[in-house]
């Protein structure tokens, strides 16, 4: 996929682009089956609310090896629609994934992700420059009712804000404080909800402010995230680094796969 000049300018201005149904229903069905299969596996790459309970976040489905490896997710992460777009927006062909995750926000109970910048945490992982971008792929229909993602247009231009550790929801993270957020939301255009049919995707700058609400619907809300970093911007050593599944040390540049690679993928045996 080749982004147009207008799309690149829009990304520069807003910090994100939204692509309705970028992945087909058939591709989404394959990716969804893979999430279902892998979520049954015991692995420390899978975060669950309680032992034996449903998966809340699944990491590291994009690699060739490991318990959570998936041929279909590997192919999606290397498709020109995801990797190609990231290469173009970051102006570098040598990219790897800082991590890949699938967030399952459970029906009725799945809680909010507070306002944050991904680079808030990733800088603490030892990454020097905000030269990362994330492709989020909706594997279910995303609605405001089921806790879709909201992006604050243009918010990446003010750089990184000192984050604070917010453990007020089930998704503890390095968030941007309520005072700063009140001020920003007053000054910026309204946040944009990333809604749409399964297969819809959004690519956003690592300093873009984003959040998502509680899932009030009767169905789980599943979304997949590919967080691309420039190989040249890989993390420096830090004290007490986070585990490899969230702070990858596989800095090999990823190569593009053919566009039909998801459809042709096979299950990687555990
Ligand atoms: C994130 O911001 O990393 C995830 C938000 C979500 O899945 O709603
Ligand atoms: Mn985030």
């Amino acid at each position: 996929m080749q982004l147009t000049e207008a799309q690149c300018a829009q990304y520069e201005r807003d910090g994100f682009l939204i692509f309705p149904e970028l992945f087909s229903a058939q591709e989404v069905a394959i990716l969804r089956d893979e999430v279902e299969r892998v979520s049954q596996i015991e692995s420390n790459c899978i975060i669950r609310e309680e032992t034996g309970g449903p998966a809340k976040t699944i990491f590291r489905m994009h690699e060739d090896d490991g318990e959570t490896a998936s041929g279909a997710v590997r192919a999606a992460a290397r498709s020109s629609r995801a990797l190609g777009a990231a290469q173009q927006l970051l102006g570098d062909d040598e990219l790897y994934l800082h991590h890949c995750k699938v967030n399952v926000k459970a029906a009725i109970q799945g809680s909010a992700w507070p306002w944050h910048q991904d680079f808030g945490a990733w800088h603490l992982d030892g990454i020097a420059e905000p030269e990362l971008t994330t492709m989020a792929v909706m594997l279910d229909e995303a609605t405001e009712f089921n806790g879709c993602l909201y992006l604050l247009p243009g918010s990446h231009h003010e750089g990184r804000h000192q984050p604070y550790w917010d453990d007020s929801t089930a998704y503890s993270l390095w968030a941007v404080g309520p005072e700063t957020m009140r001020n920003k939301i007053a000054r910026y255009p309204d946040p944009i909800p990333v809604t749409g049919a399964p297969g819809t995707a959004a690519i956003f700058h690592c300093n873009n402010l984003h959040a998502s609400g509680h899932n009030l619907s009767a169905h789980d809300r599943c979304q997949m995230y590919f967080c691309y970093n420039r190989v040249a911007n890989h993390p420096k050593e830090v004290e007490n680094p986070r585990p490899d599944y969230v702070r990858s040390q596989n800095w090999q540049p990823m190569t593009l796969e053919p566009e039909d690679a998801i459809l042709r993928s096979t299950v990687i045996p555990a």
Side-chain angles (χ1 to χ4, degrees), residues 101 113 116-118 149 173 204 210 225:
K101 69 179 177 188
W113 288 74
H116 67 281
Q117 297 170 304
D118 290 335
L149 197 64
L173 49 69
F204 56 96
H210 59 284
Y225 296 80

Side-chain angles (χ1 to χ4, degrees), residues 5-223:
E5 257 179 52
Q7 284 175 312
C8 294
Q10 190 179 340
Y11 179 87
E12 174 54 33
R13 186 193 65 202
D14 295 341
F16 61 88
L17 292 169
I18 297 174
F19 307 95
E21 295 174 65
L22 185 66
F23 292 88
S24 72
Q26 210 186 341
E27 290 176 319
V28 171
I30 294 170
L31 294 167
R32 208 66 185 76
D33 283 352
E34 279 294 89
V35 170
E36 191 48 44
R37 179 184 68 78
V38 169
S39 65
Q40 309 301 324
I41 294 167
E42 262 320 301
S43 166
N44 60 7
C45 299
I46 304 182
I47 315 296
R48 303 177 195 276
E49 209 83 76
E50 69 231 28
T51 321
K56 192 165 77 167
T57 301
I58 307 171
F59 288 100
R60 214 177 175 281
M61 289 183 73
H62 67 290
E63 295 281 19
D64 291 326
D65 61 348
E67 296 129 351
T68 53
S70 159
V73 175
R74 184 189 184 287
R78 289 163 177 79
S79 73
S80 83
R81 286 167 285 173
L83 175 60
Q87 287 173 328
Q88 212 181 328
L89 293 171
L90 294 175
D92 193 341
D93 285 346
E94 303 225 318
L95 304 185
Y96 75 98
L97 284 183
H98 183 52
H99 60 246
C100 157
K101 69 179 177 188
V102 174
N103 283 342
V104 184
K105 200 185 275 195
I108 310 292
Q109 284 167 312
S111 72
W113 288 74
W115 285 105
H116 67 281
Q117 297 170 304
D118 290 335
F119 195 59
W122 298 346
H123 190 54
L124 301 176
D125 281 333
I127 299 180
E129 300 300 330
E131 295 170 345
L132 301 92
T133 194
T134 293
M135 176 65 90
V137 184
M138 319 303 141
L139 297 183
D140 288 309
E141 179 167 8
T143 66
E144 298 202 53
F145 184 42
N146 75 3
C148 73
L149 197 64
Y150 288 85
L151 300 165
L152 191 63
S155 55
H156 62 304
H157 287 302
E158 285 184 88
R160 178 176 181 270
H161 302 279
Q162 196 55 45
Y164 79 104
W165 185 248
D166 184 339
D167 56 9
S168 66
T169 80
Y171 300 104
S172 314
L173 49 69
W174 289 101
V176 172
E179 206 43 61
T180 310
M181 282 315 305
R182 263 196 289 274
N183 173 279
K184 282 196 184 291
I185 290 176
R187 286 190 293 114
Y188 279 89
D190 284 346
I192 302 294
V194 184
T195 56
T200 296
I203 192 162
F204 56 96
H205 188 284
C206 63
N207 270 332
N208 196 273
L209 282 157
H210 59 284
S212 67
H214 197 103
N215 181 0
L216 296 173
S217 83
H219 304 284
D220 292 353
R221 186 229 65 175
C222 184
Q223 300 187 347

